[in-house]
Amino acid sequence: MNIPKLPIGKGIEWLEDWLTTYFGPFFDLIHAVIGGMVDGIDAALTFLPAIVLTVIIAALAYWIGKWRMALFAVIGLLLIDNLGLWDPSMQSLALVLTASLLAVLIGVPVGVFCAQSKTVQNIVTPILDFMQTMPAFVYLLPAVSFFSLGVVPGVIASIIFAIPPTIRLTNLGIRQVSPELVEAADAFGSTAGQKLFKLQLPIAMPTIMAGINQTIMLSLSMVVISSMIGAQGVGAYVYRAVSQAKTGAGFEAGIAIVIIAILLDRLTQKLVKPKQ
């Protein structure tokens, strides 16, 4: 006996058409907002000459971390400029920063709600499992349908792919706060808001920052994938190098991505650690 195939695909396509028809203006608004954010960050990054921005980032790296990090920032960024990949690297960085910022703005509050309510956690956890296990390429399809080609669907796909660690580790960090401290705060008459912002979030901040760090790294991993739907940046150079079998060009673009990844990773890790 053959069981009829469930029309899951047709149902998804019907839902996509329905959302596009009735929520088109809403998607246009999101497109305008995210596109404006990416363009604004890109303009800010490319406004200053490469050498000036390199000095600023190196100074920031020295202030947050150590002189070794500052030295790596100088050498790495000057290498990117020397390879002629400065502007595309800044475009990719603008995409990553936009996606990471929006993921954090959405993910941290959701993680707080999960920590405050077992019911919310039980609802959100399977959704996060689905988001983390679904191949990243699949997210490009609805993103393109709702937001056309370009950088915006790349940002949307990056947010969906990268947001789970922020939600999970925010929830975990708050739940790991000592119950004795929470009881003490309740005994002194703290409100829910005071308990959250003055006790739970500060103690959970290292764990939350670990989630944010993972979100940034996952956003960066989407740079090359996003280039397949028209997102510009150094990822497009990698994609063209692969499609044209240009190993050298692809390796140069890959070096730029690695340098950006190391800088973002080390800087976000050091934000909640004392300078040694």
Side-chain angles (χ1 to χ4, degrees):
M1 179 179 178
N2 294 326
I3 300 177
K5 177 184 176 181
L6 295 176
I8 296 177
K10 292 183 178 179
I12 295 297
E13 292 175 357
W14 175 87
L15 177 62
E16 179 184 327
D17 294 337
W18 185 83
L19 289 173
T20 303
T21 301
Y22 292 100
F23 290 89
F26 175 69
F27 293 131
D28 291 340
L29 176 62
I30 294 178
H31 187 283
V33 171
I34 294 179
M37 290 181 63
V38 175
D39 291 341
I41 295 175
D42 183 31
L45 291 173
T46 56
F47 174 74
L48 296 173
I51 186 64
V52 175
L53 187 58
T54 297
V55 172
I56 293 174
I57 295 176
L60 178 64
Y62 179 78
W63 179 66
I64 294 178
K66 302 177 181 179
W67 66 268
R68 294 184 184 88
M69 187 185 300
L71 180 61
F72 174 81
V74 171
I75 296 175
L77 294 175
L78 289 179
L79 177 59
I80 291 176
D81 188 37
N82 177 262
L83 294 174
L85 296 172
W86 183 265
D87 286 341
S89 294
M90 294 303 104
Q91 290 175 332
S92 295
L93 184 57
L95 186 153
V96 171
L97 292 178
T98 301
S100 301
L101 176 61
L102 293 175
V104 170
L105 291 177
I106 298 170
V108 171
V110 173
V112 171
F113 285 132
C114 290
Q116 302 293 338
S117 171
K118 189 71 174 178
T119 301
V120 174
Q121 177 180 257
N122 291 337
I123 294 173
V124 172
T125 298
I127 298 175
L128 297 179
D129 294 338
F130 179 86
M131 292 167 64
Q132 287 188 294
T133 53
M134 178 66 70
F137 288 94
V138 177
Y139 296 132
L140 301 181
L141 300 175
V144 170
S145 298
F146 296 143
F147 303 103
S148 186
L149 296 175
V151 68
V152 174
V155 172
I156 297 295
S158 298
I159 293 172
I160 297 173
F161 182 68
I163 198 174
T166 294
I167 298 176
R168 290 185 186 277
L169 290 180
T170 298
N171 175 33
L172 177 64
I174 293 177
R175 288 185 178 274
Q176 286 182 334
V177 175
S178 173
E180 289 77 12
L181 293 176
V182 176
E183 291 175 2
D186 290 333
F188 282 101
S190 299
T191 65
Q194 290 174 330
K195 185 169 59 178
L196 175 64
F197 289 103
K198 295 184 178 182
L199 174 65
Q200 293 172 314
L201 284 179
I203 294 177
M205 189 54 65
T207 304
I208 295 173
M209 285 303 302
I212 293 174
N213 176 268
Q214 291 184 28
T215 290
I216 294 174
M217 293 298 101
L218 289 174
S219 298
L220 189 57
S221 72
M222 289 291 289
V223 164
V224 178
I225 297 176
S226 299
S227 67
M228 299 176 64
I229 54 175
Q232 297 302 308
V234 71
Y237 282 69
V238 175
Y239 180 63
R240 284 198 295 268
V242 171
S243 61
Q244 299 173 7
K246 293 184 177 180
T247 306
F251 190 79
E252 290 178 351
I255 289 176
I257 294 177
V258 169
I259 292 171
I260 294 173
I262 293 175
L263 282 175
L264 291 175
D265 178 61
R266 298 299 186 270
L267 290 175
T268 51
Q269 283 185 10
K270 290 293 184 179
L271 280 176
V272 291
K273 295 181 181 179
K275 183 178 179 181
Q276 297 178 351

